Amino acid sequence: MVSVRRWLSSARARRGVAAAVVVLATGGLVLARSPGGGQALTFGTAVGKNASSFSGPGASGTLALSQTRVLTGGQSLYAELKIRGDDEERARERAPISLAIVFDTSGSMSGDKIETSKRSVVSLLRQMRADDEVAFVRYDDHSEVLQPLARVGDVREELTRRVQSLEAGGGTNIPPALERGLSAVSDASGGRVRRVVLVSDGLDSTRDQAERLARSALDRRVTISALGIGLDFDESYMSAVANAGRGNFGFVRDGTALASFLHKELEETASTVVEDARATLTLPRGMRFVQAIGAETRHADDGEVELALGSLFAGDERRIIVELSTDAEQGESLALGATVSWQKVGGSHTRAKLAALSVVGDSQKSAVAESRDPAVYASAVSALASVRQLAAAESFAHGDEGKAQELLDQNMAALSAAEAEAPAEVAAQLARQRADVSAAKSGFRAAKPGSPKAKALTKAATEKNNNNLSRSAF
């Protein structure tokens, strides 16, 4: 566990302790037992219109509600959770990493695509430190562990030769290969940051199985990212795997651009500061969970919702939107409770109990509208618009142009309305997102479903809006 003296040496921690004085006065101070038996200082305090903040070793953030009043008889309510990996952690000595590459060698990768992709992998191996660990799995119809998890310094040259000798052939069967990559890094020694990067250019009908594997990775503290190459892979499949594994999804037209994606994965893995971030929301009677955007829902009933957020690198800010439904009587107060927990890489476990946030039932629509926090509401509208945008892209990819245009029209209306109320900076983001929706409308009208242009449009839209689900991308 990190010593109190060392933690207090950071400016962020000193600011946090100052804020804790306020919490202590209101009974918000919590001493939580870490799994190792030590204690972690955690706290939360009410701030702003209807928000609560938290801070601790390695991370900080806020939980905010979209309004302070809700209509009697039923209304949707949005909670926005933001959590950020501490920027000051960039200066520390990074933890060693364990990285598995799950690489497509099916027949569709033949030619220049596999040659440039192999060069990108070799470039990554040269960037990795000698004490990092790497595993390499290649797959087509069948999968093979080309390199079990090993210290990079011990296998760099031999693995480079093996990668360079790879040839393309056969079909595409992702789940067994993904399982092999996940198993490889799951065996890594304690203290290592673990990640799997799945690379594919093909189509596979096993999406549900692959998603289940990616979800299971969270319990092993493994992040899974997915990259699609070319125009013939299934973007809805690959993005779903990345979402379930709390990693990144990317789309590149050829193997040349794979190098930059792998470099980004290496940088994020190396600068990871917290792992196994989770949030638990305690819902009062009269408040029900609808959906979470930007996190994996691990458990949900009428009284409690558990969300898995994954890992964060230094400076990384995740945004989770939770949609709730309410049924409050006139003047009735509904209080939402929350705790957020995480494990600092190489350090302590932190559990922050936040100050409860309340909404009050009101029959007056004008009073409810005036109670709205425009920034939080705009953030929710943005995330929901990306959910619809992903559905529109998938509908268009399957030839349902009418459904795609209907979803895009809904987005235009929702973003325009939120933009009119939002603060200037947030309004500018919504305007950029609305322009992106408008461009998609025009592009979908001009392109024939199934054409190369249409494929490129749907993949680009999927990449951009998938990123906007858990991080602001506009």
Side-chain angles (χ1 to χ4, degrees):
M1 179 176 173
V2 177
S3 69
V4 173
R5 177 178 296 177
R6 181 178 176 186
W7 179 48
L8 289 175
S9 65
S10 76
R12 181 182 291 274
R14 291 194 297 273
R15 292 193 298 271
V17 170
V21 174
V22 177
V23 183
L24 185 59
T26 59
L29 183 63
V30 178
L31 286 174
R33 289 280 178 184
S34 72
Q39 290 185 325
L41 182 68
T42 66
F43 48 85
T45 180
V47 296
K49 192 168 187 178
N50 200 10
S52 182
S53 68
F54 60 91
S55 181
S60 60
T62 58
L63 176 68
L65 295 181
S66 58
Q67 57 216 67
T68 58
R69 294 182 175 273
V70 292
L71 280 174
T72 56
Q75 183 182 2
S76 291
L77 171 72
Y78 301 104
E80 179 192 48
L81 173 65
K82 288 185 176 180
I83 181 169
R84 181 180 177 85
D86 199 334
D87 265 323
E88 295 179 7
E89 293 294 323
R90 290 185 188 275
R92 71 171 172 84
E93 179 65 21
R94 74 169 176 87
I97 67 175
S98 294
L99 178 68
I101 303 168
V102 181
F103 189 79
D104 189 349
T105 57
S106 62
S108 56
M109 285 284 289
S110 62
D112 186 61
K113 191 184 295 184
I114 194 169
E115 293 304 320
T116 55
S117 296
K118 290 191 298 185
R119 288 195 290 271
S120 296
V121 173
V122 170
S123 175
L124 173 71
L125 293 174
R126 289 171 179 161
Q127 294 171 46
M128 296 181 74
R129 294 186 180 183
D131 62 343
D132 289 336
E133 291 180 342
V134 66
F136 191 93
V137 179
R138 65 127 218 108
Y139 70 95
D140 43 47
D141 299 285
H142 305 284
S143 57
E144 174 190 5
V145 180
L146 204 66
Q147 174 60 62
L149 191 67
R151 185 175 175 274
V152 172
D154 296 334
V155 300
R156 191 183 336 248
E157 297 307 318
E158 178 60 25
L159 180 54
T160 294
R161 285 192 288 272
R162 290 177 181 176
V163 169
Q164 289 172 333
S165 67
L166 288 173
E167 296 182 356
T172 304
N173 188 10
I174 291 174
L178 186 59
E179 172 60 38
R180 286 174 180 266
L182 180 56
S183 297
V185 295
S186 295
D187 294 335
S189 58
R192 288 185 176 272
V193 179
R194 293 169 283 188
R195 185 171 294 216
V196 175
V197 180
L198 169 66
V199 179
S200 179
D201 83 325
L203 299 173
D204 191 342
S205 60
T206 58
R207 172 173 166 176
D208 289 344
Q209 186 179 353
E211 281 190 72
R212 285 195 298 270
L213 283 171
R215 288 191 186 97
S216 74
L218 291 175
D219 295 326
R220 307 188 214 184
R221 296 190 181 180
V222 178
T223 300
I224 297 182
S225 292
L227 175 74
I229 300 177
L231 297 177
D232 294 322
F233 73 92
D234 185 344
E235 60 273 14
S236 61
Y237 182 126
M238 295 289 279
S239 63
V241 169
N243 281 336
R246 307 314 313 148
N248 300 310
F249 165 69
F251 152 58
V252 296
R253 287 179 176 270
D254 54 50
T256 304
L258 173 61
S260 60
F261 185 86
L262 291 177
H263 177 75
K264 177 184 177 183
E265 291 297 301
L266 179 60
E267 289 296 303
E268 288 189 7
T269 308
S271 61
T272 298
V273 293
V274 298
E275 298 179 299
D276 196 29
R278 294 173 181 266
T280 300
L281 305 181
T282 304
L283 279 56
R285 185 184 299 274
M287 187 179 290
R288 291 172 299 281
F289 173 77
V290 178
Q291 65 173 325
I293 303 171
E296 277 294 312
T297 304
R298 308 313 297 269
H299 166 80
D301 59 27
D302 287 342
E304 191 172 87
V305 179
E306 182 182 343
L307 305 172
L309 316 181
S311 63
L312 292 91
F313 56 89
D316 183 22
E317 183 174 83
R318 297 293 183 97
R319 173 192 66 187
I320 298 89
I321 298 296
V322 180
E323 183 178 0
L324 305 163
S325 65
T326 61
D327 185 10
E329 301 293 333
Q330 176 70 32
E332 181 183 7
S333 179
L334 306 179
L336 175 69
T339 59
V340 181
S341 65
W342 64 89
Q343 178 75 42
K344 184 178 178 183
V345 172
S348 61
H349 180 268
T350 299
R351 181 176 180 271
K353 184 175 182 179
L354 280 67
L357 303 178
S358 298
V359 292
V360 178
D362 198 316
S363 60
Q364 299 298 315
K365 291 184 178 181
S366 58
V368 172
E370 289 174 4
S371 78
R372 182 182 290 168
D373 184 324
V376 175
Y377 181 71
S379 185
V381 169
S382 176
L384 289 165
S386 281
V387 171
R388 282 191 293 268
Q389 203 75 354
L390 290 170
E394 188 166 3
S395 294
F396 184 73
H398 288 93
D400 192 343
E401 299 174 71
K403 181 63 175 178
Q405 291 294 336
E406 178 185 344
L407 290 166
L408 295 173
D409 287 337
Q410 290 177 23
N411 274 350
M412 291 293 288
L415 290 166
S416 295
E419 182 186 341
E421 297 181 14
E425 181 179 349
V426 180
Q429 293 174 349
L430 293 176
R432 289 192 292 271
Q433 187 172 4
R434 182 168 51 82
D436 188 78
V437 174
S438 179
K441 280 177 60 66
S442 299
F444 287 177
R445 279 197 299 266
K448 181 180 179 181
S451 67
K453 183 178 180 180
K455 290 179 179 180
L457 284 170
T458 57
K459 286 168 173 56
T462 299
E463 180 180 31
K464 186 68 173 286
N465 285 279
N466 188 80
N467 292 338
N468 194 56
L469 296 181
S470 59
R471 301 179 178 97
S472 181
F474 291 94

